[in-house]
Amino acid sequence: MKFPGALLAVAAIAVAVAGCSAVDEASKTEVAKTKVGDCINITNNSPTDTQGETIDCASPKAVYQVFQTFDKETACPSDDYDTYTEQRPSGTTFMCLTLNLKQDSCYNDAGNSPYKWAECGPDATIKVLERVEGTIDEMECPEGTNAFDILNEPKTLFCLGKP
């Protein structure tokens, strides 16, 4: 019987594949290692070099929550989602992200850059006046709201004003 040699060859291939997978995982940034449901704090919101870290979703710094992850660039379910892409020699990490802005917290919204948490002061450009779950009707926003952002899934309305 030649099975023992064949099993050793299969085992050697499995170890090699697992080793490559471990190396690939080690080369990912902290953000690219996040899983669906995890939250991200954006630490540098440059449109060409966005950087971040995983963080507890209850924190006001948890600006985004991971909705979906893929190993290639993919269309998110709608334009409501922001995206994160990380290219590595061994592959791509692509994520669809939902906003996770907190009521009474301030953020920096720099045009094409992702939102970034900011102290309510000169670095902040917006403040979340109200976060309303279960609706996207901007008429639910309080007086003083000068902008809003919505998520269709899950239905969430962010009423925004000046810091």
Side-chain angles (χ1 to χ4, degrees), residues 103-123:
Q103 187 165 315
D104 297 321
S105 291
C106 292
Y107 300 90
N108 179 289
D109 175 21
N112 292 335
S113 298
Y115 283 110
K116 179 182 176 188
W117 178 84
E119 291 284 345
C120 290
D123 289 338

Side-chain angles (χ1 to χ4, degrees), residues 12 33 54-55 62 99 107 129 132-133 137 140 145 149 158-160:
K33 291 178 186 177
T54 56
I55 193 166
L99 283 175
Y107 300 90
L129 303 177
V132 186
E133 306 283 337
D137 180 4
E140 297 285 325
T145 299
D149 212 333
F158 301 99
C159 305
L160 310 175

Side-chain angles (χ1 to χ4, degrees), residues 21-35:
S21 179
V23 168
D24 184 47
E25 187 67 21
S27 71
K28 291 182 179 179
T29 65
E30 187 175 347
V31 172
K33 291 178 186 177
T34 58
K35 307 287 185 233

Side-chain angles (χ1 to χ4, degrees), residues 80-97:
D80 292 343
Y81 298 92
D82 287 303
T83 61
Y84 175 85
T85 305
E86 183 174 301
Q87 301 285 345
R88 295 175 320 286
S90 59
T92 300
T93 297
F94 182 83
M95 296 182 208
C96 298
L97 307 172

